[in-house]
Amino acid sequence: MTITQIRAGGDRNFSYIIADPKTGEAAVVDPGDPPLPEREHLTRNNLTLRYILNTHDHSDHTGGNAMLANSTGAPVAMHASARSRHDIDLHDGDRLPLGSGTLRIIHTPGHTRDSICILAGEDLCTGDTLFVGKIGGTGLGTDAREEYESLHGKLMTLDPETRVWPGHDYGVRPSSTIGDELRENPFLLRESYTAFLDLKKNWAEYKREHGIK
């Protein structure tokens, strides 16, 4: 599998094209609005779009769905709890065939109830669950607890060499690895949920103290 990161406009959004070069089948993750770079990449590389995948149901991640679906005929796949129109319901642990490989769906509620991450071999599209050195925004209630459990119970158990591809360019670099995030991400370095929540409550002050934008 190959993965191509595309700057998709919005609030420093990224979209991704996952492809199997052997068969030419591809999936687009969180297409931009409009999804012109994605369409150009598919055409230039003779790729057939098999899926349009959304990491969660926010307009900056779903805005290109309709245009891309209309021009390619590819179905839209989202977590089953997503409210936006989609063709395929996804659940935790689902595996979508793509060429000679598969895409593994990891349900990671927290930022939204329907948030998912997509694992393609050693590449992980994390949407707004995990950024480079940061994590997705939540309130301070059940959603924060769910995010903590998604991060530690699911993502941080993956191989440390797994490459992290976030939904926004919010970090010090546009990609990372699970191992780097375990070593460097201040939220993941907190030793308990209480400490994790405390950092969320005081994140603005922490950023000022450490020169984080």
Side-chain angles (χ1 to χ4, degrees):
M1 294 280 193
T2 64
I3 187 163
T4 301
Q5 186 181 65
I6 293 173
R7 294 189 179 274
D11 184 14
R12 293 175 282 170
N13 282 70
F14 284 132
S15 68
Y16 296 94
I17 297 177
I18 303 168
D20 175 22
K22 294 181 181 179
T23 63
E25 289 192 347
V28 171
V29 179
D30 293 345
D33 184 14
L36 302 181
E38 294 88 340
R39 287 171 57 182
E40 179 183 351
H41 181 90
L42 292 169
T43 300
R44 185 171 64 250
N45 292 279
N46 296 313
L47 298 174
T48 300
L49 187 60
R50 183 158 183 185
Y51 309 107
I52 300 165
L53 299 168
N54 298 125
T55 58
H56 60 292
D57 191 4
H58 280 170
S59 60
D60 58 333
H61 294 261
T62 64
N65 283 6
M67 182 180 292
L68 198 56
N70 289 338
S71 64
T72 65
V76 175
M78 304 178 70
H79 189 263
S81 64
R83 296 183 179 182
S84 289
R85 177 201 169 276
H86 58 281
D87 307 294
I88 300 173
D89 280 345
L90 299 175
H91 303 85
D92 188 46
D94 283 354
R95 293 181 181 271
L96 295 177
L98 185 69
S100 57
T102 60
L103 306 177
R104 175 183 160 197
I105 304 304
I106 305 172
H107 185 210
T108 53
H111 177 67
T112 63
R113 189 71 190 90
D114 66 301
S115 288
I116 60 170
C117 295
I118 301 156
L119 184 64
E122 296 180 345
D123 295 295
L124 180 71
C125 293
T126 56
D128 286 9
T129 296
L130 176 64
F131 303 127
V132 179
K134 302 176 183 178
I135 58 173
T138 68
L140 300 175
T142 302
D143 50 352
R145 168 65 79 171
E146 287 181 333
E147 183 177 57
Y148 179 84
E149 293 175 351
S150 292
L151 289 165
H152 287 280
K154 294 183 177 180
L155 299 191
M156 295 307 110
T157 64
L158 297 174
D159 189 311
E161 298 302 314
T162 302
R163 292 180 288 270
V164 171
W165 301 97
H168 295 266
D169 190 11
Y170 286 166
V172 296
R173 55 188 183 275
S175 65
S176 185
T177 67
I178 291 295
D180 285 344
E181 293 308 298
L182 281 167
R183 287 186 292 270
E184 301 170 4
N185 192 311
F187 288 96
L188 300 175
L189 290 169
R190 299 286 144 154
E191 296 181 355
S192 67
Y193 171 67
T194 300
F196 172 88
L197 188 62
D198 182 71
L199 181 57
K200 271 189 171 288
K201 292 177 181 177
N202 297 287
W203 180 235
E205 180 181 352
Y206 182 94
K207 288 197 296 182
R208 284 194 298 269
E209 291 177 352
H210 292 81
I212 299 173
K213 295 181 180 181

